Amino acid sequence: MDTESAYSGYSYYSGRSRGSHRHGERSRDRHKSRSKESSRSEKSVTINAPPAEPLLGDQSVRGEEVQDDNWGETTTAVTGTSEHSLSQEDIVRISKDLDDSVGLDCKRYLNVALSVILGLVVFLTPLAFLILPHLLWPDRLRACGTACEGLFISVAFKLLILLLAVWALFFRPPRAGLPRIFVFRALLATLVLLFVLSYWLFYGVRILDSQDEDYQGIVQYAVSLVDALLFIHYLAIVLLELRQLQPFFSLCVTRSTDGATQHYNLGQLSIQRAAVVILENYYKDFPVHNPALLTASKSRAAKHLAGLKVYNVDGPGENNAAAGIAQSQSRAMIAAAARRRDSSHNELYYEEAEHERRVRKRRARLVVAVEEAFTHIRRMQEEEQKKAPGDVMDPREAAQAIFPSMARALQKYLRTTRQQHLHSMESIQQHLAFSITNNMTPKAFLESYLTTGPTLQYGKDRWLARQWTLISEASVTSGLKDGTVFLLKCIDFSLVVTTKKIPYIQLAEEFIDPKSHKFMLRLQSETSV
């Protein structure tokens, strides 16, 4: 029994040695052969290895701490042991999002096409009212006097004003693709269509059928149509732009992963339009989402669980003692977990203190390296001023020349703060060339790396959130109400939005008599000396 226990223990440690990179091929083969022999001779000893997830967590933590100094490894890679690897379901979901984006593009172009068609019908209708009598019964029309000709000028300028107003209000680049129709815009389009159809119906019955000879009345009829269209455009401005200006609700937006929170005051908007406003503000107000910062707690829990090992010394064949074995294993794990729970806060405290110390140390090294590099740039600029104009180095070449002197310190700092996936070597060199071109200080250059900026500061490939899904119990076309809760979900996280109504504020006035502030100072002539 002791021999078997020794062999089984040796097989366990040989298995760990096989996973190490510090031994040669000969040592690996020797351990493999001995582990095979031990597995053949093992009869009654069963070792329950730690779960796979904690082991992967430990490996991922060690892999983040021990890395090479090559920029090629700082980029995000899809691997089998990464905590952020893509599964088959993620790939299918991404492909589905791409298909949905194609459908949204078709929907957007269809909406633009319908809007253009409706706009052409609206603008060509008054012109058709004026041209058709000249084409169908020109001989029977009465002569157009001075007042009639003045109406031509009125129609022309009103149509020009209407054209510019419609272009400014409706033909702006779309900010987002909404899941449902915009209710007010659809209502206005329906109103305009019914209005134009009713004018055409009246024009066909009263003017075309009877071939009216009063051309001045026909021109006035066209002017009335243009005036009505201008009033409808004013109604569109009120419903689409002015109605939402006064704030009525306070929306609290919380990111589900790290708890970042912002508050926004919005007016009377539908849920889908409020979601668009929140996403527009999200990219400029929220710090960029960094999944690497969220793995510390997971790796810490995995490290604690990885230390729990349960040994079954009775073998799998002892069915009578299975219940006792399970109870003893559970008691051992509970006791070990309780002991680790008592000391976990100390470990957390010292881990955070050590991490902060490393960050401060590498930040100081980075600041010194960048200041030395910029000092070298100033010396180079002073030397280049003495050279011929053709020998002057451009900012791009200067950035490439001084970048190696600060690359190592910057790389270590970004890895310590887990920002290496947010900055590529090309983007850093471009930012360095931009800083040199605009004569920026080292502090201004480092500000983009020392502090986490908003999402728009980084490239689109670093956003990790393009396709959003709106989840709401209420209809997304309904307006905001007190207590409304909805989610904006993307691949990596979600934004939880809660709505609170801004309370009604009652102000009271209190009048203070100006005479109540007056006082009199009396001086006595007889004073003690």
Side-chain angles (χ1 to χ4, degrees):
M1 191 62 157
D2 297 336
T3 306
E4 293 170 354
S5 301
Y7 273 111
S8 61
Y10 185 76
S11 67
Y12 174 71
Y13 285 104
S14 63
R16 290 180 62 90
S17 65
R18 287 196 303 269
S20 176
H21 296 285
R22 300 177 181 177
H23 298 278
E25 294 294 335
R26 184 178 300 175
S27 176
R28 293 180 182 176
D29 297 337
R30 184 173 65 254
H31 291 320
K32 287 182 180 179
S33 61
R34 293 186 180 180
S35 63
K36 290 180 180 178
E37 293 175 359
S38 63
S39 62
R40 293 193 190 99
S41 62
E42 189 175 355
K43 299 296 182 182
S44 61
V45 178
T46 304
I47 298 177
N48 294 328
E53 184 178 355
L55 289 178
L56 292 177
D58 284 347
Q59 292 175 1
S60 63
V61 173
R62 290 193 296 268
E64 290 178 358
E65 293 177 354
V66 181
Q67 295 181 1
D68 295 334
D69 294 326
N70 298 323
W71 278 96
E73 295 183 4
T74 60
T75 55
T76 305
V78 180
T79 60
T81 60
S82 175
E83 293 185 359
H84 304 286
S85 58
L86 292 177
S87 62
Q88 187 67 26
E89 296 179 355
D90 296 333
I91 296 175
V92 172
R93 183 172 55 189
I94 292 173
S95 62
K96 181 178 180 297
D97 293 339
L98 292 176
D99 295 338
D100 294 341
S101 63
V102 174
L104 290 175
D105 291 338
C106 296
K107 180 181 178 182
R108 182 178 64 185
Y109 292 139
L110 179 61
N111 293 335
V112 173
L114 293 177
S115 300
V116 170
I117 293 173
L118 181 60
L120 290 177
V121 171
V122 169
F123 283 101
L124 293 179
T125 295
L127 300 178
F129 288 171
L130 299 176
I131 295 174
L132 285 179
H134 286 282
L135 297 178
L136 298 180
W137 61 95
D139 299 336
R140 300 178 55 184
L141 289 177
R142 298 176 184 174
C144 186
T146 304
C148 180
E149 292 176 355
L151 292 176
F152 282 146
I153 300 176
S154 175
V155 169
F157 277 99
K158 287 181 180 179
L159 284 178
L160 179 60
I161 294 172
L162 182 62
L163 176 63
L164 296 176
V166 169
W167 170 79
L169 182 61
F170 293 101
F171 288 93
R172 291 176 291 182
R175 298 181 298 174
L178 301 180
R180 298 292 181 90
I181 61 172
F182 192 177
V183 176
F184 286 131
R185 180 169 290 189
L187 178 63
L188 290 170
T190 305
L191 178 62
V192 170
L193 183 61
L194 293 177
F195 192 75
V196 173
L197 289 178
S198 62
Y199 260 76
W200 269 109
L201 182 62
F202 185 85
Y203 184 82
V205 173
R206 298 299 301 269
I207 297 177
L208 292 180
D209 290 345
S210 61
Q211 294 184 354
D212 192 359
E213 299 177 358
D214 186 8
Y215 189 68
Q216 183 175 357
I218 297 174
V219 174
Q220 290 178 349
Y221 183 73
V223 171
S224 66
L225 173 60
V226 177
D227 292 337
L229 292 176
L230 287 173
F231 280 109
I232 293 178
H233 185 270
Y234 173 75
L235 177 62
I237 293 176
V238 172
L239 293 178
L240 301 181
E241 300 295 333
L242 300 181
R243 182 175 177 269
Q244 65 189 19
L245 294 181
Q246 184 178 2
F248 278 92
F249 301 96
S250 176
L251 275 66
C252 177
V253 185
T254 305
R255 191 157 55 188
S256 60
T257 51
D258 56 357
T261 304
Q262 293 288 343
H263 295 268
Y264 302 103
N265 291 340
L266 300 181
Q268 296 179 351
L269 294 173
S270 62
I271 294 178
Q272 61 180 358
R273 293 192 67 197
V276 171
V277 175
I278 289 172
L279 291 179
E280 289 176 350
N281 289 279
Y282 166 79
Y283 284 109
K284 70 180 183 65
D285 292 339
F286 278 76
V288 64
H289 181 255
N290 192 354
L293 296 176
L294 306 175
T295 59
S297 59
K298 295 181 181 179
S299 61
R300 192 181 303 112
K303 182 175 64 177
H304 292 168
L305 292 176
L308 299 178
K309 302 180 182 62
V310 181
Y311 297 89
N312 183 8
V313 297
D314 293 328
E318 300 293 336
N319 296 327
N320 296 329
I325 294 171
Q327 292 178 0
S328 62
Q329 291 177 356
S330 61
R331 291 193 194 100
M333 294 186 66
I334 291 173
R339 288 193 298 270
R340 290 184 177 274
R341 181 184 59 190
D342 295 337
S343 61
S344 60
H345 63 281
N346 291 329
E347 296 179 3
L348 175 61
Y349 172 77
Y350 287 113
E351 285 179 4
E352 292 181 351
E354 177 64 19
H355 178 71
E356 292 177 358
R357 186 191 67 81
R358 291 176 59 196
V359 170
R360 290 195 301 267
K361 181 179 179 180
R362 296 191 173 182
R363 176 173 178 170
R365 290 179 178 177
L366 175 61
V367 171
V368 172
V370 172
E371 288 180 352
E372 292 178 354
F374 272 74
T375 303
H376 182 63
I377 281 290
R378 295 190 189 98
R379 289 198 300 264
M380 292 175 58
Q381 290 177 350
E382 293 176 357
E383 294 176 358
E384 288 175 355
Q385 290 178 358
K386 303 177 182 178
K387 296 180 181 180
D391 298 334
V392 177
M393 183 182 298
D394 63 346
R396 180 69 176 177
E397 295 177 354
Q400 292 177 355
I402 67 169
F403 178 72
S405 61
M406 69 175 72
R408 185 178 180 84
L410 180 58
Q411 181 187 13
K412 286 187 175 182
Y413 177 80
L414 292 179
R415 283 178 176 173
T416 304
T417 56
R418 299 185 180 182
Q419 302 182 56
Q420 67 273 16
H421 65 284
L422 299 175
H423 305 279
S424 63
M425 183 176 66
E426 184 66 23
S427 64
I428 294 174
Q429 290 184 356
Q430 290 178 359
H431 181 55
L432 181 58
F434 177 79
S435 301
I436 296 172
T437 304
N438 295 277
N439 197 18
M440 299 172 67
T441 61
K443 184 178 180 181
F445 167 75
L446 286 174
E447 189 66 22
S448 300
Y449 310 105
L450 299 181
T451 58
T452 304
T455 307
L456 283 177
Q457 180 179 337
Y458 305 91
K460 292 184 178 181
D461 54 341
R462 312 292 180 186
W463 289 358
L464 302 177
R466 298 181 185 179
Q467 185 74 26
W468 294 85
T469 303
L470 177 58
I471 303 174
S472 174
E473 295 182 357
S475 176
V476 296
T477 57
S478 61
L480 293 174
K481 298 179 181 179
D482 188 16
T484 301
V485 179
F486 59 92
L487 271 71
L488 293 169
K489 188 176 181 181
C490 66
I491 297 178
D492 300 309
F493 58 92
S494 60
L495 300 177
V496 183
V497 184
T498 56
T499 307
K500 295 293 183 181
K501 188 176 181 180
I502 297 177
Y504 178 78
I505 300 174
Q506 180 69 37
L507 293 178
E509 180 185 4
E510 182 179 354
F511 177 74
I512 299 177
D513 189 3
K515 296 181 180 180
S516 62
H517 296 285
K518 295 181 179 180
F519 61 93
M520 183 179 297
L521 179 62
R522 296 181 179 179
L523 298 177
Q524 297 180 358
S525 59
E526 298 178 358
T527 57
S528 60
V529 179

